[in-house]
Amino acid sequence: KMSPLGYMAEPKWKVSMIGPLLAVFALVACIYIGTINNGWSWFSYHPAAMVFAYVALAGNAALIKRVGGKTNTQVHGYLMSAAALIAGFGWYVIWSNKEIHSRPHNTSWHAWCGVATMVCWFGMAPFSYFALNPDSGYLKTNQTVRKFHSYFGRFLLALSYFTCVLGWMTMQQSQVSRVAFGAPLAVLGLFVLL
């Protein structure tokens, strides 16, 4: 059945076109972070991990889930779990980097949005596994829980993209660099979230 928006709103189109664009965008951003922008340092692994986790992995996981079916639901869970683990590494990098340089933690909107994202992400992951796993989830047929998971997941993904943009704006003083990161992420993000 075709949606009212036509072919471009269909989940398979998004997976085959937007999914690879998310991965390429994240890869280019990570290369920029580490090689063009002052070289790789311990800190560089923080933004690289977060962009890769939330844009490449979580974005594709959201697109794949919309195609439907048990296998796609399982792949969605695996990718989201991998995103959580990589984001956890990114959080460890920034925490340890602040400790190494004796800098205070959580002093910006980027930091507080990041904390909210991580807390929600790590709360949602185990709940989703135990409640919605297609094999053994105890609430897998509860439509209210599934709808909440879908909408809260979209909110959380939007928050993670917003946090990535705030971080990029902190690192990059050039308006060109800010727009080159923020504009494509906003467009790709809309395809993922809608």
Side-chain angles (χ1 to χ4, degrees), residues 51-67:
V51 167
F52 185 75
Y54 294 132
V55 177
L57 295 179
N60 273 285
L63 293 174
I64 288 167
K65 173 62 181 126
R66 288 207 204 104
V67 175

Side-chain angles (χ1 to χ4, degrees), residues 91-114:
W91 174 84
Y92 170 74
V93 169
I94 195 59
W95 178 83
S96 63
N97 192 64
K98 297 251 185 201
E99 289 293 310
I100 290 167
H101 297 290
S102 299
R103 292 187 183 148
H105 296 276
N106 305 327
T107 60
S108 66
W109 282 106
H110 168 69
W112 284 109
C113 287

Side-chain angles (χ1 to χ4, degrees), residues 25-171:
F25 174 80
L27 180 63
V28 169
C30 290
I31 290 169
Y32 179 84
I33 288 164
T35 57
I36 297 170
N37 186 40
N38 302 324
W40 282 100
S41 65
W42 179 239
F43 169 78
S44 302
Y45 290 98
H46 167 67
M50 295 310 199
V51 167
F52 185 75
Y54 294 132
V55 177
L57 295 179
N60 273 285
L63 293 174
I64 288 167
K65 173 62 181 126
R66 288 207 204 104
V67 175
K70 179 181 176 183
T71 300
N72 289 327
T73 298
Q74 290 170 322
V75 170
H76 166 80
Y78 298 145
L79 287 174
M80 286 298 194
S81 296
L85 291 173
I86 292 171
F89 168 73
W91 174 84
Y92 170 74
V93 169
I94 195 59
W95 178 83
S96 63
N97 192 64
K98 297 251 185 201
E99 289 293 310
I100 290 167
H101 297 290
S102 299
R103 292 187 183 148
H105 296 276
N106 305 327
T107 60
S108 66
W109 282 106
H110 168 69
W112 284 109
C113 287
V115 168
T117 301
M118 293 296 293
V119 167
C120 292
W121 204 273
F122 279 101
M124 192 168 180
F127 170 78
S128 299
Y129 176 78
F130 290 113
L132 300 173
N133 183 311
D135 289 325
S136 59
Y138 63 92
L139 294 171
K140 66 184 177 185
T141 59
N142 185 313
Q143 292 303 310
T144 302
V145 171
R146 291 168 59 103
K147 191 65 79 176
F148 174 81
H149 174 82
S150 175
Y151 286 122
F152 188 70
R154 287 179 179 156
F155 166 76
L156 196 50
L157 200 51
L159 179 60
S160 66
Y161 289 173
F162 177 70
T163 305
C164 286
V165 169
L166 287 177
W168 192 270
M169 290 177 65
T170 302
M171 289 187 326

